[in-house]
Amino acid sequence: MSASAVFILDIKGKPLISRNYKGDVAMSEIDHFMPLLMQREEEGALAPLLSHGRVHFLWIKHSNLYLVATTLKNANASLVYSFLYKTVEVFCEYFKELEEESIRDNFVIVYELLDELMDFGFPQTTDSKILQEYITQQGNKLETGKSRVPPTVTNAVSWRSEGLKYKKNEVFIDVIESVNLLVNANGSVLLSEIVGSIKLKVFLSGMPELRLGLNDRVLFELTGLSGSKNKSVELEDVKFHQCVRLSRFDNDRTISFIPPDGDFELMSYRLSTQVKPLIWIESIIEKFSHSRVEIMVKAKGQFKKQSVANGVEISVPVPSDADSPRFKTSVGSAKYVPEKNVVIWSIKSFPGGKEYLMRAHFGLPSVEKEEVDGRPPIGVKFEIPYFTVSGIQIINFGPARKDKKWGLELGALSFQTAE
């Protein structure tokens, strides 16, 4: 079972809007949520699920809002949380930013969306593009004898409208990977994983069925290509868009799908693999008591010289009571962000094999504030076009049926890496 009711609360816990789907939980039960939350915060035992008697509160926080689902039974918690995050995503598509003001300004539309997103406690239509076809931010006039709901909602392919036509059939594919890496002061890698996603931008006529092939290790073994020159990748924790035929993938690792129109994420994956930092950071911090602190940061590109990292941002933590910043950089620029207690060193273009230096000087007050032992890690963000850390490759793409042909221009196939 899923949620009995969904509430949207302000930062003080006051309900802004709610929708009762099943009627088996009293709506007044939400009054117990905020006292429970504050009690758990004081005890240091805050959890995403709170209980009051037989009623359970499953909640998430977004901006200055709490989204809370109540249930009386042993619900599928993963489904409820997935629904809450999907609700946030839909509201953001409609209002750009989801916060208390946008809820108050769009009360009628929010209630209509809550009515369509779930039916009797079960998720229903959660695709914002389909919802936008019949729940709009303009006034609607219901014509007699005509249904306001598009047929897409009841079709087998609920994520794509029928009758789409384009003069030019185009598909743009992006493979985006992020590296989660934690390195200690001695240079040893403590945590290393790659989180990736394949995103498509589709402009195709009709109801095309597509096929995407990757250098997947299991696929290579099934097709006898494991001994070929192509390097294969073993994907973990693969998550697909609802358009992918999962039975086909389970049988022969074929990614076959009828795509939604426009932008969407086809799949995401994770790889627990040992990778070296693409931009290696060394830092020396000298703190002179009641006087000043000097920071020296050296960054070195540990990737091929042919590649270039763009939009590099290196975040260096500094003491919370530091002031009077002065910087000197061999490339790029540095700025102090006092509200986050960091220095951000920005480099527009960082070629592989290059090494750059940044020095920072801060004054310290005469009365020194006690700092908690240890320092937050230095963070690095960047993008490297046409480069993936995992080595994943798109080896084929086109119509799923061999007898099906249509003029397709494959857009810029690009790869991005962020660390």
Side-chain angles (χ1 to χ4, degrees), residues 46-94:
L46 195 59
L49 189 149
L50 304 173
S51 300
H52 177 260
R54 297 173 59 225
V55 178
H56 307 292
F57 303 100
L58 297 91
W59 64 279
I60 63 172
K61 186 179 181 183
H62 180 85
S63 186
N64 58 354
L65 298 173
Y66 290 99
L67 280 81
V68 185
T70 58
T71 180
L72 199 62
K73 300 187 178 182
N74 188 17
N76 183 335
S78 297
L79 177 63
V80 176
Y81 287 119
S82 180
F83 173 79
L84 291 177
Y85 281 109
K86 189 66 182 178
T87 301
V88 170
E89 185 182 318
V90 170
F91 287 162
C92 289
E93 287 283 337
Y94 268 81

Side-chain angles (χ1 to χ4, degrees), residues 179-184 187-192 273-282 299-304 378 380 382 384 387 389 417 419:
V179 181
N180 296 329
L181 201 64
L182 186 62
V183 183
N184 66 12
S188 302
V189 177
L190 303 177
L191 171 69
S192 175
T273 181
Q274 193 76 12
V275 295
K276 68 177 183 179
L278 297 179
I279 294 182
W280 180 256
I281 302 293
E282 293 181 21
K300 183 178 181 181
Q302 296 192 137
F303 48 92
K304 295 180 180 179
I378 295 175
V380 186
F382 57 92
I384 305 180
F387 180 88
V389 183
T417 299
E419 184 174 5

Side-chain angles (χ1 to χ4, degrees), residues 23 46 199 203 345 359:
L46 195 59
K199 297 185 178 182
F203 304 105
W345 180 15
R359 294 181 184 273

